[in-house]
Amino acid sequence: MTGAAGDIGAIGRHLNSMLLAKGHKVRALVRREDQRAEGLRQLGAEVVQGDLTDLASMHRAVEGCRRIYFGMSVSAAYLEATVNVAAVARHHGVEAFVNMSQMTVTQMSITETTGSPQHKLHWLAEQALAWSGLPVITMRPTVFLESFFLRLAAAGVRDHDELALPLGGSRTSPISAVDVARAVSVILDDPAHHIGRVYNLTGFESADLEHFARAFSAALGRTIRYRDVPLSPWIDNLRELGVPTHLVKHLAVMAELHTAGRYDRMTDDLFKLTERSRRAYTSS
């Protein structure tokens, strides 16, 4: 499993706990030895330190494993990492390779892309995995709840009681990393009949930002209002905070696609995989 020690919004960290709870043996790849890596060991995972773009690291991580979850944060090295892991996985003859992609890829082709360098890398990575002959299962979630709605909006909610995002009057269907991890855990538990499938994952509703501001209000017990902020100064603020250029470009395009209505999406894939109804989600 890659990305196992990620922080807020990390699929791998939740997936690790779910698989261990089901009685599976888990080998988790981490970039560095720290408290998060030690926490994985305490849960029962075998922890391997290494880099997704390093061949020797991936042999240590993959050899002896039958099933792989591959996920990586937004990075200019994403395609290199994907091919490196895939090459090693094929060499060791894995029986299932779950690839975490993005739903925007569904609307891309050899002639259609977006302005995001990350979207293009995800599309190219899916092509490479298709050519690899590996037993791939592709997960394409929509926007993550923990990214735009928690990490990027946290300061505004905390300090100014406002959900300040450059998303206009768009509707969107954010999904929690916990729910994505739950879907992946179902697949890794018994992957055979999922091989070759693509799952497009959304949350249980698509709604405008006023709706999500009301959800914040209900959760926090105080009024949170949505404020649509201009994209340019929002991007400038990300740069001032030291966000890498590759990630800034990706987030800017995601904001633009939101305002264009491209994240007003709904599918039943999550609910079918986890056998939960929308009603169950609204009451949980």
Side-chain angles (χ1 to χ4, degrees):
M1 177 193 305
T2 68
D7 55 5
I8 183 171
I11 298 166
R13 178 166 55 85
H14 299 296
L15 179 59
N16 178 80
S17 298
M18 293 172 186
L19 292 175
L20 287 169
K22 291 183 176 185
H24 292 289
K25 294 181 179 179
V26 175
R27 181 180 297 159
L29 179 73
V30 299
R31 289 193 63 184
R32 59 182 65 88
E33 289 286 351
D34 55 19
Q35 291 181 340
R36 292 176 298 177
E38 184 57 33
L40 293 173
R41 288 192 180 93
Q42 291 176 3
L43 287 172
E46 176 189 353
V47 176
V48 175
Q49 188 273 331
D51 190 309
L52 289 168
T53 62
D54 176 67
L55 195 61
S57 293
M58 293 318 303
H59 278 290
R60 292 197 306 273
V62 172
E63 186 175 10
C65 292
R66 295 182 299 137
R67 304 166 188 175
I68 290 178
Y69 163 75
F70 174 74
M72 183 181 183
S73 58
V74 176
S75 169
Y78 180 83
L79 181 59
E80 178 187 0
T82 305
V83 175
N84 193 58
V85 176
V88 175
R90 179 170 178 173
H91 173 78
H92 289 287
V94 301
E95 67 180 26
F97 188 106
V98 178
N99 175 46
M100 187 55 54
S101 187
Q102 294 189 11
M103 194 183 292
T104 301
V105 174
T106 303
Q107 299 170 301
M108 296 171 64
S109 69
I110 194 66
T111 58
E112 297 292 332
T113 186
T114 78
S116 162
Q118 185 68 25
H119 283 153
K120 182 180 179 181
L121 293 180
H122 273 284
W123 186 84
L124 288 171
E126 286 198 23
Q127 308 312 301
L129 288 173
W131 303 330
S132 73
L134 282 166
V136 177
I137 303 104
T138 303
M139 313 300 286
R140 293 177 179 168
T142 186
V143 62
F144 283 104
L145 175 70
E146 292 86 351
S147 56
F148 268 90
F149 293 87
L150 295 184
R151 186 187 297 273
L152 295 177
V157 172
R158 181 187 64 241
D159 301 333
H160 305 292
D161 291 338
E162 60 181 23
L163 183 61
L165 291 168
L167 303 183
S170 64
R171 296 173 65 87
T172 186
S173 54
I175 187 169
S176 169
V178 177
D179 287 331
V180 177
R182 185 176 292 114
V184 174
S185 72
V186 169
I187 290 170
L188 287 175
D189 196 40
D190 184 16
H193 64 286
H194 298 286
I195 302 298
R197 297 287 301 275
V198 176
Y199 294 103
N200 295 299
L201 307 177
T202 69
F204 68 87
E205 62 185 344
S206 184
D208 61 24
L209 277 295
E210 299 288 351
H211 170 85
F212 292 108
R214 289 193 293 272
F216 270 94
S217 300
L220 297 174
R222 66 181 196 271
T223 301
I224 306 297
R225 294 181 173 83
Y226 168 57
R227 180 168 69 90
D228 176 31
V229 298
L231 182 58
S232 182
W234 187 76
I235 292 172
D236 291 341
N237 183 60
L238 292 179
R239 292 196 177 105
E240 290 171 4
L241 292 172
V243 177
T245 299
H246 181 86
L247 177 54
V248 170
K249 289 181 179 179
H250 177 58
L251 293 173
V253 170
M254 287 183 69
E256 291 170 345
L257 293 178
H258 265 91
T259 59
R262 292 274 291 274
Y263 282 83
D264 185 7
R265 308 155 162 169
M266 281 303 304
T267 76
D268 288 329
D269 286 1
L270 172 65
F271 312 106
K272 290 177 180 177
L273 280 169
T274 59
E275 297 183 349
R276 294 185 69 186
S277 67
R278 286 194 176 89
R279 181 172 297 177
Y281 271 78
T282 58
S283 61
S284 62

